[in-house]
Amino acid sequence: MKPRANYGVDAPGVLAGLAVGGIAETGLAVILFGVDWVAPAVVLLVGGIMMLTGAAFFAHTTLRGKFLVWDEELDRLGLTGNERVLDLGCGRGLVLLRAAARVPGGHATGLDLWTADQSGNTAEATSANAAAEGVTGRVTLVTADMRDLPFADAEFDVVVSSLAVHNIPDDEGRALAVREAFRVLKPGGRLRLADFRNARRYAAVLRECGAADVEVYDLGWRFWYGGPHARTTMVAATAVRRET
């Protein structure tokens, strides 16, 4: 039987915390109702239900919702099949390999430092997923920092990133990563950067770089990591064609 791709779970500790906390609070509420401590029981019950609802949203996003959203975003790009695509912070390859499937005459490069913000996040896991998806021949993995990309100017037709830039701890570092993403775009190339923090700052940096068609838009409930307080936003932009 052909092995299936496994894309892991985003921030597994957060998901576990929401689920365990919700179960614990709900269970304690039931006990308090049993001894007629109604007021604290109601508070705990409401809190428990909110945490369990958050866990359900989180699980849906990481296991299904983000796949659907990114499929729509990649389809909207209208790729011709010959593009060179770069995925910054590719993780186990969700966006990278979906892009690779759409460019049979092109190539997709995934860059990451392989940190533990996603379960089982390793280059080997991403390679195994590429093999399972049947796109190994058109995928290259690079270990590098997105603040210092090892690529020439104007090398890629499309640059994508999903929930990666926010992991850089300082504002200037995040701005540098966005500038680097813009630098490696070909004239007319397109950027799609999804994150749940700092989106408007990313957009401002892109405008400073001279990007055109800069947009910031909400990706909807399918990309909520626990609820609307942790919604995911897309930053879209196009590289202006340089004068010769």
Side-chain angles (χ1 to χ4, degrees):
M1 181 181 294
K2 181 181 177 181
R4 296 183 61 183
N6 179 355
Y7 294 101
V9 175
D10 298 318
V14 176
L15 176 57
L18 285 170
V20 172
I23 292 169
E25 288 199 8
T26 303
L28 185 54
V30 170
I31 293 171
L32 293 181
F33 275 121
V35 296
D36 210 26
W37 285 13
V38 177
V42 169
V43 171
L44 285 169
L45 180 61
V46 170
I49 291 173
M50 290 179 65
M51 292 183 77
L52 289 173
T53 301
F57 273 119
F58 195 116
H60 178 269
T61 291
T62 195
L63 297 175
R64 177 170 170 78
K66 66 180 182 181
F67 294 75
L68 300 175
V69 172
W70 268 109
D71 278 337
E72 291 172 3
E73 291 294 323
L74 292 170
D75 288 344
R76 200 171 290 130
L77 285 171
L79 301 175
T80 65
N82 296 310
E83 290 85 356
R84 289 177 58 83
V85 180
L86 172 65
D87 183 0
L88 299 177
C90 66
R92 296 180 62 149
L94 163 65
V95 184
L96 172 70
L97 304 182
R98 276 168 156 66
R102 289 168 168 79
V103 291
H107 200 80
T109 300
L111 179 142
D112 209 315
L113 290 174
W114 319 107
T115 57
D117 57 313
Q118 185 180 47
S119 61
N121 188 21
T122 64
E124 292 74 20
T126 310
S127 294
N129 283 342
E133 300 285 11
V135 295
T136 298
R138 66 186 82 141
V139 171
T140 298
L141 300 180
V142 177
T143 300
D145 192 318
M146 68 180 76
R147 292 167 290 188
D148 185 20
L149 297 179
F151 309 115
D153 293 355
E155 190 168 336
F156 296 94
D157 300 286
V158 177
V159 175
V160 295
S161 182
S162 187
L163 302 171
V165 178
H166 74 271
N167 289 316
I168 299 172
D170 60 288
D171 182 66
E172 182 51 40
R174 292 188 293 270
L176 181 56
V178 174
R179 292 188 195 103
E180 281 286 274
F182 186 79
R183 176 183 67 80
V184 300
L185 272 175
K186 294 180 181 179
R190 289 164 292 173
L191 172 72
R192 294 295 184 272
L193 194 167
D195 219 334
F196 56 81
R197 288 196 289 271
N198 311 305
R200 298 202 176 276
R201 173 58 178 151
Y202 303 157
V205 171
L206 287 165
R207 292 188 182 100
E208 291 168 4
C209 292
D213 306 321
V214 179
E215 295 182 77
V216 177
Y217 51 93
D218 185 5
L219 291 174
W221 68 270
R222 293 176 300 174
F223 227 135
W224 285 0
Y225 280 91
H229 61 285
R231 66 183 68 217
T232 305
T233 303
M234 181 67 81
V235 181
T238 303
V240 174
R241 293 190 178 278
R242 300 168 176 85
E243 297 181 2
T244 57

